Every structure is written in C-alpha cells, then in structure tokens.
Amino acid sequence: MKRKEFLKTTGAFVAGSMVVPLVSCEDKPTEVRKNWAGNYQYKAKNLLEPKTTEELQGLVRKLSSQKALGSKHCFNNIADSPENQISTKNFNKVLGIDEEAMTVTVESGARYGEFAPELHQKGFALHNLASLPHISVAGAAATATHGSGVGNGNLASAVKGLELVDGNGQLVKLKEGDPDFYGAVVGLGALGIVTKVTLAIEKTFDVRQDVFQDLPLASLEKDFEAIMSAGYSVSLFTDWQNQVVSQVWIKRRMDEEITDACVEFYGATAATNNLHPITRLSAENCTEQMGKPGPWYDRLPHFKMGFTPSSGEELQSEFFVPMENAVDAILALEKKRELIFPQLMITEIRTIAADELWMSTAYRQPSVAIHFTWKQNWPEVSKLLPMIEAELSPFGVRPHWGKLFTVAPETLHDRYPKYQSFLELVKKYDPEGKFRNEYLDLNVYQA
C-alpha cells in the first residue's frame, strides 16, 4: 500500500465520535481513547493494564495481536493495534540508583517530569530532556525523541540497558555492548513491550535560560554553528516571516564558566519578560526564563510538568538533516514560507549529537531537527508535508518516527544503513508478528 493511500484508510485522524467498547485486565469499560493532541483516535478494541511483569508476560503469550501504549504523545498510529493495547501506566516506579555505575533504573511507563525531581534531590541529573517532560521513558527511547544541544545525544542515547517481554512472552535483558542492544533501544515498539530502562546519570546541575527576539536570518546563515553552540541547549523558534527567527532560547549550565547574558545576540535583542514559543500565547505554562537559575529538570524542558504543554490542539511533524546541511535546508524551506505560514503555529530548530543506535534519527550523524507545530487542519497539512519532504530530500532527511510524515517506505529504508539488520532483529524477537500493526507493516515490514 502506498503511503498516501495508507493515510486515507487507516483512520489515523479523528474520524467521528463512535464509542468503541474497551476492557482492561479488570474488565472495566473505557471510553474512546485519543492521543494527547486529540488528532488520533485509537482503533484497538481492548485496553489492558497489567500491574506486574508476570501478568504482562501472560497477556503477551495469550494474545495474538497487541501493542504497548505509553503516554500517548505520538501523533500517528505507531502505538495502535488491530486488537489490543497494553498500557504501561502501572509500570511507573524508580527502581534504583547505582551510584558506582552512575545509572538509574526506572520502569518503562515512568515519565521524566515525575521522577526527575527525586533524582535531583539525590544529587543526580539526566544529560538531556525533551521540550515536554510529560513523556514516558520507554516511548521516548523507542522513537528517538530528543532534547537539544550540539554535544547532547537524544533521550535514547542515555539508555544503558533495557528489559522487554518479547513475542514469545519471554523476559529479555539487554545492556550496552550486547550485539542486539543497538538495534533494540530505538525499537519502534516492534520487538516487544519494554518493562524497565536503565539510564546514564551525572551529578546534578543548575541551568539558566535566556531568550532573545528577532534574530536576523542573515545572522543565522552566517553564524549558524556559533549560534547553536552558544549554550548547553539552544532552540530557535520561527514562523518563517520577515526574514527573522522570532525567538532564540539559550539554556546554559551554571557549573560551566559563563558570563551574564548580553542585551544583544547576533542582532537579536534580549527579551524583557518570559515568553511562550508562540509569542501570542501566555508564558504561564513555560519554564522560567530571564536568566533565573534553576534545577536541570525545570529548565531543560520548555514546558512545566504540571501544565498543559505547547498549545494543546495541534499537529506535529519533524525532520532531521545532517548538521553540515542545516543552513541549506533551512534556506530551502524559507523559500516556501508563504505556503507554510497559513497552517503553522511555530517551527522549532534544534541540534542533536550523533549516536550508534540503528534506527535513531541521529544514527552516526550530528543532526539538526526542524520541527513543525501545525494547526489541527489535516487536509491542508497533508498537502504541505510532501512539499517539505521534497525540499529536504537532497539532504537525506529522516522524519521523526512518532510524528506525521509521508516519506515512502523504500526511501525511509535507504536512509537507515542498518535497516536490514533491524528487520532481522524484529523477526527474531517477534517471530509470529504479535506486535505488528499498520504502522510497522508500512514502515518496517514493507519491502
């Protein structure tokens, strides 16, 4: 099936309000479920919520078709199933900190924003966080979700070990250095249901966040690498209008030698109050700015854990290009600004360090992410995505696995050197195809 046909027929977007009866392990009926943004309605008939690994193993052995469901932050059908979804909501505990190995082990459904404060209180930190702290650890790793920083790998790169239930119901433990580890971390939910994840940690640190407005596009073109290296984590926000980047968010570690932020940054001026990335929206939901230091977990994300992130009702797509091609890619898209702008809420541009994870969007290439937050208008957005992908195609673009894209499967496979190895790994861990769904049939299994 071609991808355009697939998007029309999968019901990948809200197509009505029919109530589908669902059951949990306790046989309790559940209302229709949608993802966080409300653009996707899950088609799985049953929802199960095991409380133990043993219970999960029993379900996997018994059921012929199933899929793990995490924090529901993906914008496509990667976490859906023809029959059964298995929620990881009860797998949410911190299992222990190994101070000698400098790791923390958490259950797969744990959300970064929920355990990060505890980690900080004990004197430790993660190297990076996504813009939203609301996402689950296993889901973030499985889709190579990222934070920002020229020297910072994505969230999956922090994984040092994982435990999963494979298609045979067996408990599999993998650690860094094992042959299958590098293919399993960004597993797209294809190998099994993850139960535990071990993450690298470091000594805790504070971060200050400074925001600048109206960075000239000419400055970005001339000094891109210097601008993106100006902090531990740097984000650019633009609506592609007026030849400017509307905001630059610079997050700097307080344990590194830094000076007070200046009032001017490559032609941009310092903000005089806290801002939302979408300037017209209130900054109430955003993490503290104006150079006020705070713990890593309360500055590296853009949004606070206790608040609705971003704008809420939206669509998202994101595309990764090699760092060396970033400026050319940005300028190519800038030429399409008048087509992009009517459906756009905001674009964010960030950097990610290279890693060795087979299906990571940053596999063996330092990358730049160009992220689009769209108005929730799929008919129009669906017309823009092929155009954007065509503009970025010369740069070997890789789309975010959990967001909206239309790249053809054969093209997608060509952009991952270890694709064939990953396909073999999937068939090894799920020989009967218990974790297959429409998403995997299209993007992984289809030749």
Side-chain angles (χ1 to χ4, degrees):
M1 180 183 291
K2 299 297 184 182
R3 182 174 296 279
K4 289 184 179 178
E5 296 172 358
F6 172 79
L7 288 172
K8 290 178 182 177
T9 59
T10 56
F13 303 93
V14 177
S17 57
M18 181 179 68
V19 175
V20 180
L22 303 165
V23 296
S24 71
C25 287
E26 299 173 351
D27 295 328
K28 293 181 180 178
T30 309
E31 295 181 355
V32 161
R33 290 160 301 114
K34 299 178 182 179
N35 65 343
W36 158 73
N39 72 292
Y40 182 82
Q41 180 174 307
Y42 296 107
K43 297 196 291 184
K45 299 180 180 67
N46 304 310
L47 174 66
L48 303 112
E49 299 176 348
K51 294 184 173 133
T52 67
T53 300
E54 292 73 23
E55 187 179 358
L56 171 60
Q57 289 179 275
L59 287 172
V60 171
R61 292 188 185 108
K62 179 177 72 173
L63 302 173
S64 60
S65 178
Q66 61 211 282
K67 201 71 181 172
L69 179 67
S71 53
K72 299 186 288 189
H73 276 80
C74 288
F75 286 77
N76 55 31
N77 59 345
I78 189 171
D80 208 350
S81 167
E83 295 293 333
N84 307 291
Q85 285 180 310
I86 298 181
S87 172
T88 60
K89 64 179 284 189
N90 295 318
F91 291 77
N92 57 12
K93 302 178 187 65
V94 176
L95 300 175
I97 296 172
D98 186 331
E99 296 189 23
E100 184 176 347
M102 288 299 283
T103 59
V104 60
T105 300
V106 300
E107 291 183 320
S108 57
R111 301 185 185 212
Y112 289 94
E114 293 176 344
F115 72 87
E118 177 185 348
L119 197 60
H120 169 70
Q121 289 169 6
K122 294 183 177 180
F124 300 101
L126 300 173
H127 84 291
N128 210 349
L129 287 173
S131 60
L132 307 182
H134 309 67
I135 59 179
S136 67
V137 171
T143 55
T145 295
H146 61 95
S148 177
V150 293
N152 301 329
N154 61 32
L155 302 187
S157 70
V159 176
K160 296 297 179 183
L162 72 159
E163 177 183 283
L164 62 85
V165 176
D166 69 10
N168 296 316
Q170 298 299 310
L171 198 60
V172 177
K173 298 180 180 181
L174 297 170
K175 64 181 184 302
E176 189 174 38
D178 292 341
D180 293 345
F181 173 83
Y182 302 96
V185 176
V186 183
L188 311 181
L191 281 71
I193 298 179
V194 176
T195 56
K196 297 178 185 177
V197 182
T198 297
L199 303 170
I201 57 176
E202 58 186 83
K203 294 297 183 182
T204 194
F205 55 91
D206 283 352
V207 174
R208 64 174 288 170
Q209 183 168 224
D210 297 283
V211 176
F212 296 84
Q213 293 182 276
D214 297 330
L215 175 75
L217 186 62
S219 295
L220 191 66
E221 184 177 357
K222 179 182 176 184
D223 296 302
F224 180 79
E225 290 192 24
I227 289 169
M228 301 309 291
S229 302
Y232 184 72
S233 168
V234 176
S235 291
L236 310 179
F237 294 97
T238 181
D239 60 6
W240 304 98
Q241 296 298 292
N242 304 316
Q243 297 284 301
V244 297
V245 170
S246 54
Q247 296 179 31
V248 183
W249 289 33
I250 303 175
K251 304 169 193 272
R252 296 185 292 166
R253 290 177 61 142
M254 299 302 293
D255 58 357
E256 298 176 351
E257 186 175 344
I258 62 174
T259 57
D260 286 338
C262 55
V263 296
E264 190 270 345
F265 179 78
Y266 291 93
T269 55
T272 56
N273 54 273
N274 285 353
L275 295 174
H276 190 286
I278 303 170
T279 306
R280 69 178 183 275
L281 299 183
S282 168
E284 179 186 10
N285 297 2
C286 299
T287 49
E288 188 67 33
Q289 301 158 28
M290 303 303 294
K292 182 179 179 181
W296 57 277
Y297 68 86
D298 200 31
R299 293 296 184 274
L300 292 179
H302 298 332
F303 299 97
K304 300 173 184 175
M305 182 64 188
F307 291 79
T308 300
S310 196
S311 70
E313 192 170 311
E314 62 193 57
L315 302 175
Q316 292 184 10
S317 54
E318 186 166 32
F319 303 98
F320 299 78
V321 297
M323 179 80 168
E324 62 191 24
N325 296 327
V327 171
D328 289 339
I330 291 167
L331 293 178
L333 293 179
E334 198 273 337
K335 293 176 182 176
K336 302 295 182 179
R337 61 188 177 277
E338 298 308 322
L339 296 174
I340 292 171
F341 178 73
Q343 301 305 323
L344 184 70
M345 300 185 80
I346 201 68
T347 288
E348 180 179 6
I349 299 170
R350 293 186 281 183
T351 55
I352 306 98
D355 59 56
E356 290 293 322
L357 306 174
W358 295 355
M359 301 305 285
S360 168
T361 45
Y363 176 71
R364 293 192 173 177
Q365 64 181 35
S367 299
V368 170
I370 305 174
H371 179 281
F372 296 87
T373 300
W374 303 106
K375 297 173 183 176
Q376 205 168 91
N377 183 2
W378 174 241
E380 294 304 318
V381 172
S382 66
K383 297 174 186 175
L384 292 174
L385 295 185
M387 178 270 289
I388 289 171
E389 292 164 353
E391 291 296 323
L392 299 178
S393 181
F395 312 115
V397 63
R398 297 170 177 172
H400 191 298
W401 293 108
K403 300 184 181 180
L404 302 173
F405 63 93
T406 66
V407 178
E410 57 272 18
T411 302
L412 202 57
H413 300 165
D414 286 344
R415 290 174 184 167
Y416 286 89
K418 298 289 286 186
Y419 162 70
Q420 285 296 337
S421 297
F422 179 71
L423 182 60
E424 292 169 9
L425 194 67
V426 169
K427 292 177 179 178
K428 171 183 175 180
Y429 282 88
D430 186 23
E432 296 179 15
K434 287 191 172 187
F435 304 113
R436 290 182 71 155
N437 62 3
E438 290 178 321
Y439 179 94
L440 292 177
D441 284 344
L442 179 66
N443 294 307
V444 175
Y445 284 96
Q446 182 165 304

